[in-house]
Amino acid sequence: MRKTKSVRTVSALMLSMSVAAIMADIGRASAEINADKGFRWRDGAEVYSKVCSYCHEGQVGPRLFGRELPPEYIRAIVRNGNRAMPPFRSSEIDDESLAKLAEYIQRN
């Protein structure tokens, strides 16, 4: 029983790490492609739907809406990462868009 539970835990951890690595690669590739075009995120809702919702609307990351998270906290987690969430560089989500994202999450 104990061995089976630890195997499941290790498997879940490995899956979370794989998903985080894939999402980070997608974000980096998107940023590189978009940097050449002078890309700018439209608003916080767009950043959330295109980047955050994959995990936070799925079962990987926690729900963000309705928690009244402070914008400073959101910005710190996005820039530094936390657990299965990879950090996002300013080349992936610029500071202005990150501020809009933090405001969007706090309001909803």
Side-chain angles (χ1 to χ4, degrees), residues 2 9 14 41 52 67-68 79-81 84-86 92 97:
R2 201 176 237 331
T9 302
M14 290 174 60
W41 293 105
C52 310
R67 296 178 58 195
E68 299 178 13
R79 285 289 180 244
N80 300 305
M85 182 173 160
E92 297 163 332
S97 297

Side-chain angles (χ1 to χ4, degrees), residues 7-94:
V7 169
R8 283 189 211 145
T9 302
V10 170
S11 297
L13 178 61
M14 290 174 60
L15 176 62
S16 294
M17 291 172 60
S18 297
V19 168
I22 290 168
M23 292 307 298
D25 288 343
I26 289 170
R28 281 188 205 92
S30 174
E32 290 169 8
I33 291 167
N34 294 330
D36 295 338
K37 298 177 186 176
F39 177 81
R40 287 292 209 193
W41 293 105
R42 191 171 42 236
D43 56 19
E46 181 184 32
V47 177
Y48 182 84
S49 70
K50 302 285 184 177
V51 180
C52 310
S53 66
Y54 292 113
C55 293
H56 292 282
E57 295 295 319
Q59 295 183 354
V60 178
R63 294 266 183 211
L64 299 176
F65 295 134
R67 296 178 58 195
E68 299 178 13
L69 298 170
E72 301 80 22
Y73 175 79
I74 295 166
R75 288 193 300 267
I77 296 297
V78 170
R79 285 289 180 244
N80 300 305
N82 186 25
R83 298 183 186 168
M85 182 173 160
F88 287 86
R89 300 173 297 191
S90 59
S91 62
E92 297 163 332
I93 303 173
D94 61 276

